[in-house]
Amino acid sequence: MTDTLKVTKIAESKINQVDFSNLAFGTVFTDHMFVCEYKNGKWQTPEILPYGPLQMDPSAKVFHYGQAVFEGMKAYKDDKGDVYMFRPEENFNRINKSGERLAMPAFEKDYFFDGLNTLLNLDKDWIKPGEGNSLYIRPFVIATENGVSASPSSEYKFVIICAPAQAYYSGEVRVLFADHYSRSADGGVGFAKAAGNYAAQFYPTELAKAKGYNQVVWTDANTHEYLEEAGTMNVFFRVNDTLLTAPTNDRILDGITRKSLIELAKSQGINVEVRPVKVAEIVEAAENGSLKEMFGAGTAAVISPISGFTHKEKAFDLPTMEDAYATKLKKQLTELQANRSEDPFGWRYEVPAIEV
Ligand SMILES: Cc1ncc(COP(=O)(O)O)c(C=O)c1O
């Protein structure tokens, strides 16, 4: 811990009020939160405080112009009680990359890691060991300067909150390939984890849900001919024994699960092609039986297998595969994340034990 982190502990933990066997994702939060304010051109002394409401003026810019970015990461506990994170530096770099696109100041790396390590030590009991259990960590930055003028804020809050999570079973996932609405455009903010990207997806996703789909797989805004990503996941397609996924660009989020799976799959001798994926080739592969699997990849669900898709009113079912890549890769990745297997890639980060 740096001497510059101020810690105020909660008087009494809420942990005994929580049913850890029945957690709805992202609804219960731990005892503490990390908060750091930006004003007068610099980040001020960061603080850890009891989890609670943030007070802001109704004219704060985040409410009017959506100047807000966020991250999603997880911490895991092994059977010895040690706590790990998965490639946290990637999340740190990405929140600053997102922030830069939204004209926000970069956060300090040592504030981020000291804050996170201290927070995880304070709220360690909320991280349960065992398969599927984790602590979901949500860092976010919001524009807090008062005044309804459409210009970048000169004040911000960087906040980290944490929610205990269980394995995420989504059941059968059927998706709709977008052919009208778009998630992002060239030169836009699609690559950033900007809050507004998610708000903009809600309406078309609700329309798709009303028709019985769980998710929309977004296609490129210009032609709707290329498959890009889903709501909060990158997507992979297995055609025969080759895994295909779209390259990241300024419309697609550079997912940490995605890039890890590409490396993991390659290390297993799986042929991986990172290239634009045409809707037409996936439809054709589904028709001729060479499309074996489709799955989403992201921090929350790790891998979410997709059982069918619809494109322009035509529905296709995917086969149920024995030895599915999705099952195998998910197992390998989650074991590595939770320190239940070797980590030849150096992806695991051990959270140092800190007396707080
Ligand atoms: C739009 C979008 N794509 C992909 C992902 C997957 O990224 P990651 O694997 O880093 O969680 C996410 C989730 O963060 C996302 O919001």
Side-chain angles (χ1 to χ4, degrees):
M1 193 181 8
T2 54
D3 351 318
T4 49
L5 177 64
K6 243 179 91 186
V7 177
T8 310
K9 290 192 205 173
I10 197 160
E12 197 181 337
S13 174
K14 305 170 291 195
I15 197 165
N16 292 333
Q17 300 161 23
V18 177
D19 176 2
F20 279 85
S21 63
N22 187 23
L23 289 167
F25 182 80
T27 55
V28 173
F29 295 91
T30 63
D31 289 327
H32 298 92
M33 63 182 183
F34 170 90
V35 182
C36 187
E37 304 208 3
Y38 182 91
K39 57 183 174 202
N40 304 324
K42 69 188 211 22
W43 292 101
Q44 306 293 310
T45 305
E47 279 194 81
I48 288 184
L49 300 165
Y51 182 93
L54 300 172
Q55 219 186 19
M56 272 181 290
D57 193 275
S59 73
K61 288 183 191 261
V62 64
F63 298 135
H64 306 275
Y65 308 111
Q67 208 187 356
V69 296
F70 70 101
E71 264 307 319
M73 54 208 296
K74 279 180 173 173
Y76 312 85
K77 192 184 263 176
D78 70 5
D79 292 333
K80 291 199 307 246
D82 295 327
V83 177
Y84 295 88
M85 282 188 280
F86 184 67
R87 309 184 77 175
E89 222 176 295
E90 297 279 342
N91 298 90
F92 172 74
N93 292 336
R94 195 169 64 185
I95 201 166
N96 278 346
K97 201 170 152 200
S98 299
E100 185 184 12
R101 180 62 182 81
L102 271 82
M104 298 165 113
F107 196 50
E108 308 282 344
K109 191 168 180 179
D110 54 344
Y111 285 6
F112 181 75
F113 279 96
D114 287 343
L116 203 47
N117 289 336
T118 310
L119 188 60
L120 292 177
N121 272 271
L122 269 174
D123 287 346
K124 202 172 174 173
D125 292 346
W126 293 78
I127 317 172
K128 300 296 177 193
E131 204 180 324
N133 294 329
S134 64
L135 186 74
Y136 183 77
I137 303 166
R138 167 56 59 89
F140 62 99
V141 197
I142 50 174
T144 51
E145 187 191 344
N146 302 342
V148 289
S149 65
S151 56
S153 179
S154 62
E155 295 180 5
Y156 298 88
K157 270 190 209 298
F158 190 110
V159 185
I160 306 177
I161 54 174
C162 302
Q166 291 174 297
Y168 186 98
Y169 296 111
S170 39
E172 281 252 302
V173 175
R174 297 194 68 88
V175 298
L176 182 67
F177 287 180
D179 64 5
H180 173 67
Y181 292 102
S182 304
R183 175 185 176 274
S184 62
D186 293 340
V189 294
F191 70 93
K193 267 183 97 72
N197 282 342
Y198 299 81
Q201 292 183 83
F202 291 162
Y203 175 68
T205 304
E206 286 303 301
L207 294 180
K209 283 189 174 162
K211 290 185 173 174
Y213 305 105
N214 305 83
Q215 285 275 349
V216 176
V217 175
W218 300 104
T219 49
D220 69 291
N222 293 338
T223 66
H224 296 294
E225 280 179 19
Y226 292 92
L227 291 155
E228 303 211 311
E229 64 178 326
T232 57
M233 293 188 290
N234 296 104
V235 274
F236 285 80
F237 307 87
R238 174 179 171 188
V239 176
N240 291 319
D241 286 338
T242 297
L243 266 186
L244 305 175
T245 192
T248 54
N249 53 32
D250 61 1
R251 302 184 303 271
I252 301 181
L253 192 86
D254 186 4
I256 298 158
T257 317
R258 170 190 173 279
K259 67 173 115 186
S260 306
L261 287 175
I262 293 172
E263 271 195 69
L264 191 60
K266 283 184 177 167
S267 76
Q268 315 275 308
I270 295 173
N271 186 32
V272 184
E273 289 181 15
V274 178
R275 60 161 176 82
V277 181
K278 274 201 134 177
V279 173
E281 71 179 295
I282 297 304
V283 168
E284 191 187 324
E287 281 170 346
N288 69 24
S290 57
L291 183 67
K292 308 290 186 202
E293 294 180 56
M294 195 189 295
F295 55 84
T299 297
V302 188
I303 287 183
S304 181
I306 294 167
S307 57
F309 72 93
T310 294
H311 177 242
K312 294 196 191 271
E313 310 290 325
K314 212 165 163 201
F316 299 89
D317 288 316
L318 275 97
T320 311
M321 296 292 291
E322 278 186 28
D323 304 324
Y325 286 172
T327 317
K328 182 168 127 177
L329 293 171
K330 181 171 184 174
K331 184 162 184 283
Q332 288 172 346
L333 193 60
T334 50
E335 289 190 342
L336 186 159
Q337 288 171 328
N339 194 32
R340 289 197 300 273
S341 69
E342 291 299 306
D343 174 19
F345 307 96
W347 288 338
R348 206 157 49 216
Y349 168 90
E350 183 169 355
V351 175
I354 302 172
E355 280 298 319
V356 201

